[in-house]
Amino acid sequence: MNISYFFFIILSVLAVASAIVTISTKHPIRSAIALVVHFFMLAGLYLTLNAQFVAVMQILVYAGAIMVLVVFVIMLLNLSKDQSFEKKITFNNFGGIVLAGTFGLAVIYAFINLHPEPTSFPSHNLNFTTVQVIGRSLFTNYIVQFEAIGLLLTAAIIGAVLLAKRKLM
Amino acid sequence: MLITNIPLEFYLVLSAILFVIGAVGVLTRRNAIIIFMSIEIMLNSVNLTFVSFSIYFGDTLGQLFVFFVMAIAAAEAAIGLAIVLALYRLKQTVFVDEVNLLKW
């Protein structure tokens, strides 16, 4: 039992628990708080994988930008007490749980049988996770995709403004 | 070089469990905002798979893909929440089963 197992187990248990809280609480704002915890736990898991750039991006984009949007919309909607609470979970929801559980069991079975014994990460050079290498690859080999992402984000901003505006003119 | 000695399967099984939790949220909840948060959980679990395979194979491409997925998720959140706002103005509700404008 060494230190990385300790970190992995704590982070993964907290990630699963906060995800369950996110989908099971009644009020949306509690889900939002639990989701922030979930994002931070995933950032910690990326750090155990030595992916520092992705961990920082996770906190900046998800816990920063997206959660501010979600909390802002919850505030703007100003849901009254009876509207923000849902009715009891019906029997129809049982089908959804069974469907997702079956899919999950199939995927977990496939993952576990990937190799006969557990595969450890090969100890090659970790230079490829630095921001320098990722940035160089982003601006040379994948420049078209990068520009397309910029175009898509611009279109998304214009679309969001148009959709949320009360009157267009 | 510090590298984790946790097996690859642990990360893959964890991301599968998180994906299933997100899918259960999408399939069972009726509040549109909570459905959005469940979709974010699913996208995050796929990101975890991408990053662990990227470290396993020693290739930068997996982390670039995570970068693009995050950009798409940001765009999707902006558009989706704008739709929820417009829907609330029209129907005074955020419950997806009370929205049946296209159902005859």
Side-chain angles (χ1 to χ4, degrees):
Chain A
M1 198 68 184
N2 59 31
I3 192 91
S4 62
Y5 270 96
F6 177 73
F7 275 119
F8 177 81
I9 286 169
I10 286 189
L11 287 169
S12 53
V13 165
L14 280 177
V16 170
S18 56
I20 289 173
V21 169
T22 301
I23 68 158
S24 61
T25 52
K26 284 183 174 166
H27 206 281
I29 199 79
R30 283 184 198 152
S31 293
I33 300 296
L35 197 57
V36 171
V37 177
H38 178 75
F39 289 154
F40 273 95
M41 293 309 128
L42 273 182
L45 281 170
Y46 294 147
L47 284 181
T48 65
L49 281 167
N50 294 316
Q52 289 90 359
F53 173 69
V54 181
V56 173
M57 286 293 292
Q58 169 86 13
I59 291 175
L60 277 181
V61 175
Y62 276 108
I66 291 180
M67 287 320 294
V68 167
L69 260 178
V70 169
V71 173
F72 228 87
V73 167
I74 293 172
M75 184 197 78
L76 276 178
L77 291 186
N78 194 17
L79 297 170
S80 58
K81 194 103 178 166
D82 55 339
Q83 264 188 317
S84 59
F85 285 90
E86 297 194 1
K87 291 169 203 151
K88 294 280 285 182
I89 288 179
T90 59
F91 191 71
N92 286 342
N93 292 338
F94 187 71
I97 294 171
V98 169
L99 208 66
T102 313
F103 172 75
L105 283 180
V107 172
I108 288 171
Y109 181 77
F111 280 158
I112 286 175
N113 288 330
L114 201 65
H115 286 299
E117 70 273 8
T119 48
S120 58
F121 286 91
S123 57
H124 42 59
N125 199 353
L126 275 174
N127 279 338
F128 65 96
T129 63
T130 58
V131 182
Q132 188 187 6
V133 174
I134 294 173
R136 179 164 292 149
S137 175
L138 200 59
F139 284 110
T140 53
N141 293 335
Y142 299 97
I143 185 69
V144 179
Q145 290 88 332
F146 186 71
E147 297 292 338
I149 282 289
L151 199 64
L152 179 111
L153 283 173
T154 313
I157 291 169
I158 295 170
V161 170
L162 281 180
L163 274 171
K165 222 169 148 122
R166 272 177 211 277
K167 275 188 291 185
L168 276 185
M169 291 296 163
Chain B
M1 273 296 180
L2 177 89
I3 184 107
T4 176
N5 52 3
I6 301 163
L8 174 67
E9 279 89 353
F10 282 30
Y11 288 99
L12 298 181
V13 169
L14 173 67
S15 74
I17 291 170
L18 290 177
F19 190 89
V20 167
I21 292 172
V24 168
V26 169
L27 289 172
T28 59
R29 296 307 298 258
R30 303 182 308 135
N31 193 326
I33 299 171
I34 295 181
I35 289 177
F36 268 105
M37 295 188 212
S38 307
I39 292 172
E40 300 293 341
I41 292 176
M42 292 164 81
L43 285 170
N44 266 303
S45 70
V46 175
N47 280 353
L48 184 60
T49 312
F50 269 128
V51 172
S52 47
F53 271 124
S54 161
I55 304 293
Y56 181 72
F57 289 115
D59 194 352
T60 317
L61 188 55
Q63 297 181 40
L64 284 178
F65 222 103
V66 169
F67 180 80
F68 291 132
V69 168
M70 280 180 184
I72 300 285
E76 174 249 336
I79 290 289
L81 291 169
I83 289 174
V84 170
L85 265 182
L87 187 70
Y88 187 75
R89 286 216 189 95
L90 191 68
K91 300 274 288 181
Q92 318 299 326
T93 184
V94 291
F95 292 144
V96 288
D97 59 347
E98 291 173 16
V99 183
N100 47 12
L101 289 171
L102 283 178
K103 208 163 124 188
W104 54 280

